[in-house]
Amino acid sequence: MKSKPKGVRRHVTIREVAKAAGASVSTISAALNNSDYVSADMRSRIEVAIKTLKYCPNDLARGLRLQKTHSLAIVVPDLSNNFYIELVRGVKDYSASASYTVLIGDSRESWEEERNYLDSFHRRRVDGVVRVPAMNAVGGRARAVLGNLPVVYADRHPRERDTYVGRVGVDNTQAAESATSYLLSLGHRDIGIITGDASSGTSRDRLRGFISAIRSAKIRLDRSAIQAGHNDMESGHFHAMQLLTRGQRPTAIFCTNNMMALGALAAIQEIGLACPEEISLLGFDDFYWATLLRPRLTVVRQPAREIGMIAARILIDHIEGRVSIPTPALLKTQLVVRDSCCPPKKM
Amino acid sequence: MKSKPKGVRRHVTIREVAKAAGASVSTISAALNNSDYVSADMRSRIEVAIKTLKYCPNDLARGLRLQKTHSLAIVVPDLSNNFYIELVRGVKDYSASASYTVLIGDSRESWEEERNYLDSFHRRRVDGVVRVPAMNAVGGRARAVLGNLPVVYADRHPRERDTYVGRVGVDNTQAAESATSYLLSLGHRDIGIITGDASSGTSRDRLRGFISAIRSAKIRLDRSAIQAGHNDMESGHFHAMQLLTRGQRPTAIFCTNNMMALGALAAIQEIGLACPEEISLLGFDDFYWATLLRPRLTVVRQPAREIGMIAARILIDHIEGRVSIPTPALLKTQLVVRDSCCPPKKM
DNA sequence: TGAATGTCCCAAAACGTTTTGGCTTTGGCT
DNA sequence: AGCCAAAGCCAAAACGTTTTGGGACATTCA
């Protein structure tokens, strides 16, 4: 009655390996973490036992004992946005090189979902998380669900007062300012901007850069030319429509993220305006198929992959006790000029 | 000397909650899994203890004890392909509704990477995995690394002889056949096809459908019009170039996945051909920005999200012992006619 | 007045690892 | 001979949960 395996075969443990190899449990463990003394003979016996039994280490037990899982988590707001895929891959690649494993969360810009992910990762006892907070995470206290897990923020700012271990992104103000200057230099005087939600520091920075560029060009700032979207295609479309159908149509639109640029492009095509001849369009974030669009999109490119890699580095360094002070890392952006901007038509 | 916390604060355990609430460890556990008898008074005391101590359950210990983690894994070959994002979201959404958690792997069409993910998931003791095997996973024995974890295959076939618990995708042969018939009905007689690697059953099926349609139209099959790519943009571009620059240029190209369709479109634009007037282009897999391209891409659409949901359902049903027989589920595809195909020019 | 049944709680054993401290041998050195 | 260090191995204690098999009461029933 005790030897009934009851249908479902369980996993083979280190103990059975020990039996098969004629060794003790502790010796197997020593062999696995190839440290300590273990004779060549014993080692090979253990190896064949592992092979024949198809032993697979249990990371739950390991993590429990070690109080450390050698794993990170990353939560991004939108996996269908290629920018975040690249960022995730950066995190993943750096982590792999430091033999950390990474868990991915896709919050879809929802704080509810993000909280679920953060909680789940915390319960799994990841060693740290890189976080790109969801847009609507304003009221949420991420700290409450994260305990004292080390966090590094990537791309977006921490919204709440939160303690973090690092922060990495681009100089959004400067990037937006120089992008706007580019439009100004083409001769545009009436420029619309579609920003992300004002609750986001990143959006605010980009807007600030825009305004600053307009101001230093001594142009009157038209408040109604500032539209606050939600970083998705729909709102890009909607707000572009707003801009394009009002009395005085702008000659250029600056979108502060790629999804909204796509939505704006859709709106432009829908209305039947010629881009860039009748309306210039400038996006934020590059993506691999931007050159497939007609016109090929002019954008300011962020080093997504690099942001991810640096975030992972900061996090892992901290976890392993190599750095103590918070390091805000500001990376360079790059204006990628393609076909979607040109001088405005003379009227 | 024993009370030195040594810098890093550890996580609070159920034991400390017990102390704070004046209860025993087992009572806390009972309260957490809100079952059994636990008085209202005790329950509330426990709740405040949990709140004030910021207790977060340890899923490692839980999984270890329970021999079950309530989590699934999904491994896809390319996260930057929107089709797989939708699929992942399907898996995620269904799983969430069954209160399972899901881990995501992105193999980038590399068997090495896929193996790493599968291994890592196995060590984490996920309860099952839905797998979309990497293209080059031909020689790999996934079973060797998966032990007897239940697997359901999604989108692509199992390559090796593998035991699986379910399989879900579309009827690729039929889909390709009817897509080809559509091109034939437009009047095309010289159609090129860019397929995925021949090692993939899915690619083979689609090619088979193509050939079958050509045959039943009593058209001579031109072997050189069949190009085997690797499901990425580069090879789509390359093979489209091959097709477009040879002596007798086809009047239509059928790409059996969306990435290759993009590559082909790039090639067409590069050469300066008018699409669809001079060359029709038909893709496989729809994506949210397909309508932003000029021409808007005509594609055969797979219900990506639904595939994911069904895969998750099959897997979870099996895990919880609700189904026994392997169920191959074949979903319907849909031809989404847009602007990239038209009748061929008369010569 | 027992006995039976509920209700509420607890101690201890398990889950699969790693680590600590110790136990034999062996061989080399005085 | 006596001693010591090193090499090779092991038993047992943790890590944080859940579950099992009770124990101590209070209430109800015959």
Side-chain angles (χ1 to χ4, degrees):
Chain A
M1 186 167 285
K2 60 140 61 125
S3 59
K4 244 340 184 12
K6 201 69 170 311
V8 206
R9 281 251 319 293
R10 284 228 338 292
H11 288 254
V12 18
T13 79
I14 220 182
R15 182 165 279 101
E16 317 180 31
V17 175
K19 191 154 300 170
S24 83
V25 169
S26 14
T27 304
I28 309 295
S29 174
L32 281 178
N33 310 321
N34 49 11
S35 63
D36 279 331
Y37 303 113
V38 26
S39 66
D41 170 53
M42 173 64 92
R43 193 177 292 272
S44 67
R45 257 157 53 216
I46 292 179
E47 263 158 20
V48 350
I50 286 181
K51 221 118 233 163
T52 68
L53 291 184
K54 297 195 210 305
Y55 168 75
C56 171
N58 186 328
D59 272 352
L60 300 178
R62 195 154 197 279
L64 180 58
R65 171 65 228 235
L66 256 26
Q67 296 289 81
K68 164 146 177 75
T69 54
H70 264 277
S71 60
L72 267 41
I74 173 165
V75 184
V76 296
D78 183 7
L79 268 189
S80 63
N81 181 338
N82 205 253
F83 172 72
Y84 293 116
I85 297 284
E86 287 308 309
L87 197 148
V88 165
R89 286 182 171 171
V91 171
K92 161 70 172 49
D93 287 346
Y94 183 88
S95 302
S97 80
S99 54
Y100 274 71
T101 249
V102 6
L103 271 28
I104 306 173
D106 170 21
S107 70
R108 302 184 228 191
E109 296 287 12
S110 143
W111 160 245
E112 305 305 322
E113 285 228 41
E114 187 182 1
R115 184 167 39 66
N116 287 343
Y117 273 115
L118 293 177
D119 186 41
S120 153
F121 292 146
H122 187 199
R123 299 164 63 117
R124 276 204 168 74
R125 295 297 188 265
V126 297
D127 298 324
V129 359
V130 3
R131 176 171 183 227
V132 185
M135 219 65 204
N136 78 347
V138 201
R141 291 286 302 130
R143 231 346 117 188
V145 54
L146 279 178
N148 41 23
L149 267 188
V151 170
V152 2
Y153 281 88
D155 181 42
R156 298 183 181 171
H157 303 229
R159 225 69 50 76
E160 333 124 22
R161 261 279 136 279
D162 187 14
T163 62
Y164 52 88
V165 119
R167 186 140 80 77
V168 32
V170 298
D171 185 339
N172 288 294
T173 310
Q174 186 273 324
E177 182 164 1
S178 82
T180 308
S181 298
Y182 167 68
L183 290 175
L184 290 168
S185 77
L186 286 178
H188 293 279
R189 288 298 170 267
D190 194 353
I191 307 178
I193 182 171
I194 307 181
T195 75
D197 199 88
S199 67
S200 148
T202 301
S203 298
R204 278 200 306 270
D205 284 352
R206 291 181 189 170
L207 178 55
R208 181 175 311 137
F210 171 79
I211 292 179
S212 150
I214 297 287
R215 289 256 164 78
S216 34
K218 308 253 191 295
I219 298 179
R220 198 186 68 81
L221 182 66
D222 178 0
R223 283 285 159 190
S224 73
I226 299 177
Q227 302 272 335
H230 299 292
N231 281 349
D232 55 11
M233 258 185 82
E234 289 69 36
S235 67
H237 181 274
F238 174 80
H239 288 106
M241 277 298 184
Q242 298 292 106
L243 289 171
L244 295 175
T245 57
R246 52 178 208 156
Q248 167 84 345
R249 188 161 64 210
T251 59
I253 296 182
F254 177 25
C255 294
T256 64
N257 105 320
N258 51 6
M259 288 294 162
M260 297 194 297
L262 293 178
L265 181 58
I268 291 170
Q269 293 179 341
E270 217 170 295
I271 293 186
L273 287 175
C275 175
E277 294 79 6
E278 297 179 285
I279 178 83
S280 286
L281 182 60
L282 179 55
F284 215 106
D285 303 338
D286 202 7
F287 41 97
Y288 64 95
W289 42 274
T291 57
L292 286 180
L293 296 174
R294 286 300 107 103
R296 292 150 64 235
L297 225 52
T298 293
V299 299
V300 1
R301 171 191 292 161
Q302 302 188 69
R305 200 183 124 81
E306 203 183 345
I307 291 178
M309 304 214 6
I310 293 184
R313 179 165 58 66
I314 294 177
L315 191 50
I316 293 177
D317 276 348
H318 175 267
I319 289 171
E320 310 199 327
R322 275 194 292 270
V323 193
S324 48
I325 40 162
T327 352
L330 285 198
L331 306 186
K332 287 254 167 295
T333 57
Q334 177 192 2
L335 182 68
V336 181
V337 175
R338 290 195 274 248
D339 311 330
S340 67
C341 299
C342 72
K345 266 198 311 203
K346 298 289 178 291
M347 290 187 272
Chain B
M1 187 169 283
K2 58 141 62 129
S3 60
K4 257 308 193 32
K6 202 65 170 310
V8 206
R9 281 249 319 292
R10 282 227 338 292
H11 288 253
V12 19
T13 79
I14 219 181
R15 180 166 280 101
E16 317 179 31
V17 175
K19 191 154 301 169
S24 81
V25 169
S26 15
T27 304
I28 310 296
S29 175
L32 281 177
N33 310 320
N34 50 11
S35 63
D36 280 331
Y37 302 113
V38 26
S39 66
D41 170 54
M42 173 64 92
R43 192 177 293 273
S44 67
R45 255 156 56 217
I46 291 179
E47 262 158 20
V48 350
I50 285 182
K51 222 114 228 166
T52 68
L53 291 184
K54 296 197 210 303
Y55 168 75
C56 171
N58 186 326
D59 272 352
L60 301 177
R62 195 154 198 279
L64 180 58
R65 170 65 228 235
L66 256 26
Q67 296 288 81
K68 164 146 179 75
T69 53
H70 265 276
S71 62
L72 267 39
I74 173 164
V75 185
V76 296
D78 184 8
L79 268 190
S80 63
N81 181 337
N82 205 254
F83 172 73
Y84 293 117
I85 297 284
E86 287 307 311
L87 198 147
V88 165
R89 287 181 171 173
V91 171
K92 161 70 172 48
D93 288 345
Y94 184 87
S95 302
S97 80
S99 54
Y100 274 70
T101 249
V102 6
L103 271 29
I104 306 173
D106 171 20
S107 70
R108 301 183 229 193
E109 296 287 11
S110 143
W111 161 244
E112 305 304 323
E113 286 228 41
E114 188 183 0
R115 184 166 39 65
N116 287 344
Y117 273 115
L118 293 177
D119 186 41
S120 153
F121 292 146
H122 187 198
R123 298 163 63 119
R124 275 203 169 74
R125 296 297 188 263
V126 297
D127 298 324
V129 0
V130 1
R131 177 173 182 227
V132 185
M135 219 65 205
N136 78 346
V138 201
R141 292 283 304 128
R143 230 348 116 188
V145 54
L146 280 178
N148 40 24
L149 267 188
V151 170
V152 0
Y153 282 88
D155 180 41
R156 297 182 181 172
H157 303 228
R159 225 68 50 75
E160 332 126 20
R161 261 280 136 279
D162 186 14
T163 62
Y164 52 86
V165 119
R167 186 142 79 77
V168 32
V170 299
D171 185 339
N172 289 294
T173 310
Q174 187 272 324
E177 182 164 1
S178 83
T180 309
S181 298
Y182 168 68
L183 290 175
L184 291 168
S185 77
L186 287 178
H188 293 278
R189 289 298 171 266
D190 195 352
I191 308 177
I193 181 172
I194 307 180
T195 75
D197 200 86
S199 66
S200 147
T202 301
S203 297
R204 277 200 306 272
D205 284 352
R206 292 180 188 170
L207 179 56
R208 183 175 310 135
F210 172 78
I211 292 179
S212 150
I214 297 287
R215 288 255 164 80
S216 34
K218 308 253 190 298
I219 298 179
R220 199 185 67 80
L221 183 67
D222 178 2
R223 282 286 159 191
S224 73
I226 301 177
Q227 302 272 335
H230 299 292
N231 280 350
D232 55 11
M233 258 185 82
E234 289 69 35
S235 65
H237 181 273
F238 175 80
H239 288 105
M241 278 298 184
Q242 298 292 106
L243 288 171
L244 295 175
T245 57
R246 54 180 204 152
Q248 167 84 348
R249 188 161 65 210
T251 59
I253 296 182
F254 178 26
C255 294
T256 66
N257 104 322
N258 50 5
M259 288 294 163
M260 297 194 298
L262 292 179
L265 181 58
I268 291 170
Q269 294 179 339
E270 216 170 298
I271 292 185
L273 287 175
C275 175
E277 295 79 7
E278 297 179 285
I279 178 83
S280 286
L281 181 60
L282 179 56
F284 215 106
D285 303 339
D286 201 8
F287 41 98
Y288 64 95
W289 41 275
T291 57
L292 286 180
L293 297 174
R294 287 298 107 106
R296 292 150 65 234
L297 225 52
T298 293
V299 300
V300 0
R301 170 191 295 162
Q302 303 188 69
R305 200 183 125 80
E306 204 183 344
I307 291 178
M309 304 216 4
I310 294 184
R313 179 164 58 67
I314 295 178
L315 191 50
I316 294 178
D317 276 348
H318 176 268
I319 290 171
E320 310 200 325
R322 274 195 292 271
V323 194
S324 49
I325 40 163
T327 352
L330 285 197
L331 305 186
K332 287 256 167 293
T333 57
Q334 176 191 2
L335 183 69
V336 181
V337 176
R338 290 195 273 248
D339 312 330
S340 68
C341 298
C342 72
K345 266 198 311 205
K346 298 288 175 293
M347 288 186 273

